Amino acid sequence: MSSPRSARLIAVVTAMTSLTVSAQYGMAAAALADTTTANARTEAAGESARAGVLDKEPTTLTELRREAQKAYKSIEDANRALVARQKKFGAVEKELATKLQSLQQATAELNKLRKPLSDLASSIYQDPSIDGLSPFFRAGNGTETLRRIADLDHLVAGRNNVLGDAMKLLERQQKLAQEAQELRAANLLQEAQLSAQVAALRKRSTTLVRSLTKALIKLGVKLGNGRAGGCDPTRIGQAEEYPNGLLPKNILCPLPQAGEELRADAAIAFADLNIAYKKRFGASMCISDSYRNLGEQQSIYYRRPGFAATPGKSNHGLGLAVDLCGGVQNFRSVQFNWLEANSKRYGWIHPDWSYHSPFEPWHWEYDPKLGAQL
C-alpha cells in the first residue's frame, strides 16, 4: 500500500495529463461548434438580406429614378458598414492575439517551474531500483530522514500551487480562445449578411436602371452609341464632379427632342413631367435650349447681355435647366400656368429671379433637393 506522500505524487502526474487532454478537447469542440453555427446563420442571413430590399414595384419614371438612387445609396452605406466592421473586428482580434501570446509566455514559465518536480516523480516511479519512498529511509539518522520528508512535502506543496495556477491560466486561455472563435464567427456572419445585401441591392439597382432605359426609349429618347449610361441616375455624383459647362457626353441624358440633353435625374424628371404635359395639351413640351457647354454660355452671354448668366455660373452648364417654347414662354399663358401649378410635383420650378430679374418666363430649372423628396 502506497504512503500518503506517494499518493500525492501520483495525483500530481495524473492531473497534469488530464489537464492537457481536456484543454485541447475543449478548444477543438468550441471551434467546431462555432463553425457549424456560423454556417447555419450565414445561409439564413442571405435569405433575410434578399427579402429585405424588395419594396413595392415603382410605376412612374420618377419612382423608378428614386428607387434606383435609393438602392445605390444603400449599396454605398452597406459597403461603408462592412469596412467599418472589418476594422473594428481587426482591432479586437489583435487585442485577443496579444492576450493569448501573454498567456502562452506565462504557461512556458510555469512549465519551467514544474519540470524539476516532473523529473523527480519520473525517477521515483520509473526507476525499478527504487521502491516507493525507501530512498528517503535507507541511511542516516532520524534527523536526515525528517529533512528529506520535509523537502518532499515542500516540493509537493509547491507543485500543487503551480498546478493550480496552471489550471487557472489554461481555463483563461480556453475562454479567450472561445471568445475569439465567437467573434470570428459573428464577423463572418455579419460580413455574409452585408455582402448578400449589397449583391441584392446591386441587382435591384441594375434592374431599375434597365427599366428606366426601356421607358425612356419608349418615350422617344435616342440612346444609341452608349448614351444609355448618361441616363443612369446613380451616376449623378460623377456629374457633380465636373465644372460648370464641362460635363462629358457620357454623363448627359438625351431628351425626347433631338439635340437636347440634361443631367440624368433632371432628364428623367423632365420626361415624367412631359408625359403629364402631353396628356393635358396633346403635344410634348417644346425645348429651345437645355445643357450649355462653356463655349455656348460665352456666346450667349456676349450676344444677349443682361439675359444670360456669367459663363461658368449658369444652371444650364450643370445640366439642370431648360428654356421652353410652345406657349410656355408667354407669361400667364395656359401652358405657363399649368406648368407653374404642376412642375413641382416632378422636381421642376420656375425660379423666383426669373419672374423679374431678368424676366424669363421660358426658363425652368430642376431642383435636386426637391426631386429627392418626391
Side-chain angles (χ1 to χ4, degrees):
M1 181 174 179
S2 300
S3 69
R5 294 181 183 84
S6 179
R8 289 183 200 172
L9 290 174
I10 294 173
V12 168
V13 175
T14 303
M16 288 175 60
T17 304
S18 62
L19 175 61
T20 304
V21 172
S22 63
Q24 292 174 346
Y25 175 80
M27 293 176 71
L32 178 60
D34 288 332
T35 303
T36 303
T37 303
N39 290 338
R41 290 178 179 173
T42 298
E43 184 176 352
E47 294 298 326
S48 175
R50 283 189 288 274
V53 298
L54 299 179
D55 299 325
K56 184 188 72 155
E57 289 301 319
T59 56
T60 67
L61 289 174
T62 298
E63 288 176 351
L64 281 167
R65 186 263 307 163
R66 180 194 61 201
E67 290 299 317
Q69 289 177 298
K70 181 177 166 185
Y72 185 76
K73 184 180 183 301
S74 296
I75 292 171
E76 293 180 323
D77 292 343
N79 279 327
R80 280 194 292 269
L82 181 60
V83 171
R85 187 164 297 283
Q86 288 171 339
K87 287 182 178 178
K88 182 178 180 181
F89 179 74
V92 173
E93 196 171 41
K94 185 177 180 181
E95 181 181 354
L96 279 170
T98 302
K99 289 183 179 180
L100 288 174
Q101 186 178 8
S102 298
L103 283 169
Q104 289 172 355
Q105 292 173 352
T107 301
E109 292 298 322
L110 283 168
N111 286 336
K112 291 179 181 179
L113 290 173
R114 62 193 179 190
K115 187 177 185 303
L117 189 55
S118 297
D119 293 342
L120 175 61
S122 177
S123 66
I124 292 174
Y125 289 101
Q126 293 181 18
D127 190 341
S129 65
I130 299 177
D131 181 17
L133 299 179
S134 59
F136 292 93
F137 300 94
R138 282 179 183 174
N141 54 33
T143 302
E144 184 65 24
T145 299
L146 289 174
R147 183 180 293 111
R148 289 179 179 178
I149 292 174
D151 289 344
L152 180 59
D153 279 339
H154 177 73
L155 284 170
V156 171
R159 174 60 176 156
N160 287 339
N161 290 335
V162 170
L163 184 60
D165 291 341
M167 179 68 79
K168 291 178 182 178
L169 280 170
L170 284 171
E171 287 176 354
R172 176 62 176 161
Q173 193 173 41
Q174 281 187 31
K175 182 179 179 181
L176 285 169
Q178 184 176 354
E179 288 176 358
Q181 287 289 345
E182 290 174 353
L183 280 170
R184 189 172 290 106
N187 186 64
L188 289 173
L189 172 62
Q190 289 162 352
E191 282 193 12
Q193 288 176 327
L194 287 169
S195 296
Q197 184 179 5
V198 168
L201 287 167
R202 199 179 300 281
K203 182 178 179 181
R204 174 77 166 163
S205 180
T206 300
T207 300
L208 290 165
V209 171
R210 190 178 295 118
S211 298
L212 266 173
T213 301
K214 290 179 179 178
L216 291 171
I217 292 174
K218 189 175 180 180
L219 291 172
V221 177
K222 305 298 181 182
L223 294 175
N225 300 322
R227 296 297 301 280
C231 295
D232 182 350
T234 66
R235 299 178 62 191
I236 59 173
Q238 297 178 35
E240 293 172 349
E241 295 175 0
Y242 291 94
N244 188 302
L246 296 177
L247 274 61
K249 282 288 184 182
N250 63 351
I251 292 295
L252 294 166
C253 179
L255 298 175
Q257 186 169 315
E260 305 299 339
E261 51 196 3
L262 291 172
R263 202 176 84 172
D265 50 347
I268 293 167
F270 185 86
D272 214 8
L273 173 61
N274 188 55
I275 292 173
Y277 185 92
K278 192 172 182 179
K279 285 181 180 178
R280 171 63 179 84
F281 295 104
S284 295
M285 286 187 285
C286 172
I287 307 171
S288 59
D289 204 0
S290 53
Y291 170 72
R292 294 176 190 162
N293 61 37
L294 195 58
E296 291 169 337
Q297 291 182 54
Q298 292 173 339
S299 175
I300 293 175
Y301 181 76
Y302 290 116
R303 285 189 291 107
R304 300 178 59 193
F307 282 90
T310 303
K313 301 291 185 180
S314 171
N315 267 7
H316 284 282
L318 299 175
L320 296 174
V322 293
D323 289 344
L324 301 177
C325 43
V328 178
Q329 77 280 12
N330 299 318
F331 187 61
R332 291 303 169 207
S333 64
V334 176
Q335 293 87 348
F336 179 94
N337 289 340
W338 182 92
L339 203 59
E340 186 182 50
N342 293 278
S343 63
K344 288 183 179 179
R345 292 165 49 198
Y346 301 88
W348 283 86
I349 62 171
H350 188 55
D352 290 340
W353 62 261
S354 60
Y355 282 95
H356 49 80
S357 179
F359 179 60
E360 294 186 10
W362 54 83
H363 182 90
W364 297 77
E365 296 179 353
Y366 178 73
D367 183 349
K369 291 183 179 178
L370 177 61
Q373 296 171 4
L374 299 178

